């Protein structure tokens, strides 16, 4: 034939909200757990090939993932007289596995191939305790964001008589918000405060018991480019 053009486009968009909230309540129990958990797994791949005996062979592949989800756990305007452990936690686990490969072959003419993978994460993980009276043997406030992204961009171009051109592009953009906040809260006890993490905040509090506030983010990014 005189030419061949093949293209593949894959797009995934996540915009959901996962929330566990206790507001304006009285809690009396041996143990209290408020937990919001979001798990997102995306496996997306595009493979194509283009061939032409005479003329141009063009193969293009594009894969994109956008994640702007919100995961939130809150305790507000409440009296909690739990005698044991109190846990207010929010966790988001995102697993992204994207593949974009293309192959273009031309006997006489130009051979052009291109592949692009884009991962864009702007998700939010929030844990908040505010305007509350909390008692417990151990109080844990945790915000956890766990991201694992694996991407492969591959391309092959062959031109027997003519020119061959190819390009592979991989872009990972992560602008997540991870916060654990305790504010305007009274916590009676005798132990010291422990605070660790990316973004932890105390405001106008009386905190004496075993309080642990943690905001944590773990990113594992693997990117491979294979060109032939």
């Amino acid at each position: 034939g005189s030419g061949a053009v093949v293209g593949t486009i894959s797009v995934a968009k996540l915009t959901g909200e996962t929330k566990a909230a206790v507001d304006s309540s009285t809690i009396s129990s041996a143990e209290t757990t408020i937990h919001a958990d979001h798990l997102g797994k995306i496996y997306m791949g595009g493979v194509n090939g283009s061939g032409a005996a005479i003329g141009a062979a063009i193969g293009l592949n594009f894969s994109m993932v956008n994640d702007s989800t919100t995961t939130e756990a809150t305790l507000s305007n409440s009296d909690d007289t739990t005698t044991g452990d109190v846990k207010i936690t929010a966790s988001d686990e995102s697993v992204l596995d994207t593949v974009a490969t293309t192959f273009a072959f031309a006997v006489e003419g130009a051979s052009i191939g291109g592949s692009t993978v884009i991962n864009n994460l702007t998700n939010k993980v929030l844990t908040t305790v505010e305007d509350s009276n909390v008692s417990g043997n151990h109080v844990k406030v945790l915000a956890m964001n766990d991201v694992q992204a694996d991407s492969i961009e591959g391309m092959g171009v062959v031109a027997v008589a003519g020119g061959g051109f190819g390009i592979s592009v991989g872009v990972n953009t992560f602008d997540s918000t991870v916060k654990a906040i305790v504010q305007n809260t009274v916590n009676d006890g005798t132990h010291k405060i422990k605070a660790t993490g990316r973004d932890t905040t105390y405001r106008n509090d009386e905190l004496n018991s075993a309080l642990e506030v943690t905001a944590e983010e773990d990113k594992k990014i693997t990117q491979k480019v294979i060109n032939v």
Side-chain angles (χ1 to χ4, degrees):
S2 59
V5 179
V6 175
T8 302
I9 297 176
S10 302
V11 178
K13 186 177 182 180
L14 303 176
T15 58
E17 180 177 289
T18 304
K19 186 173 183 178
V22 175
D23 183 38
S24 303
S25 301
T26 300
I27 302 171
S28 179
S29 63
E31 187 173 290
T32 299
T33 299
I34 303 170
H35 180 57
D37 186 14
H38 174 259
L39 173 60
K41 292 184 177 181
I42 298 177
Y43 301 96
M44 186 165 57
V47 179
N48 63 47
S50 176
I54 301 175
I58 301 174
L60 302 174
N61 208 321
F62 177 81
S63 295
M64 181 173 67
V65 176
N66 280 324
D67 184 348
S68 58
T69 56
T70 299
T71 307
E72 185 175 4
T74 63
L75 174 64
S76 58
N77 304 303
S78 297
D79 290 321
D80 186 346
T81 58
T82 299
T83 56
D85 293 343
V86 178
K87 299 177 183 178
I88 303 98
T89 61
S91 62
D92 186 347
E93 180 181 357
S94 300
V95 179
L96 312 178
D97 194 349
T98 52
V99 178
T101 61
T102 188
F103 181 79
F105 175 83
V107 177
E108 294 183 14
S111 178
I112 302 172
S115 62
T116 301
V117 172
I118 298 175
N119 292 319
N120 183 30
L121 271 72
T122 57
N123 62 315
K124 297 179 180 179
V125 184
L126 308 171
T127 304
T128 305
V129 178
E130 60 181 350
D131 301 319
S132 298
N133 296 315
V134 182
S135 63
N137 182 57
H138 180 266
V139 180
K140 181 177 183 179
V141 182
L142 169 67
M144 176 65 186
N145 189 39
D146 188 356
V147 178
Q148 179 177 326
D150 297 315
S151 62
I152 298 177
E153 306 88 51
M155 174 207 55
V157 292
V158 176
V160 177
F165 174 77
I167 185 170
S168 295
V169 178
V171 179
N172 289 303
T173 302
F174 300 101
D175 189 20
S176 304
T177 300
V178 185
K179 291 186 177 183
I181 299 174
V182 177
Q183 60 185 6
N184 301 320
T185 294
V186 176
N187 187 345
D188 295 329
T190 58
H191 304 289
K192 63 182 180 180
I193 299 171
K194 176 183 178 183
T196 60
R198 174 173 160 178
D199 194 336
T200 55
T201 305
Y202 302 99
R203 298 194 186 99
N204 304 322
D205 305 316
E206 295 179 20
L207 304 171
N208 299 309
S209 71
L211 176 68
E212 180 179 353
V213 181
T214 306
E216 185 176 347
E217 185 168 52
D218 185 12
K219 295 178 182 178
K220 299 177 181 177
I221 313 301
T222 303
Q223 188 170 352
K224 298 179 181 178
V225 179
I226 302 174
N227 293 329
V228 179

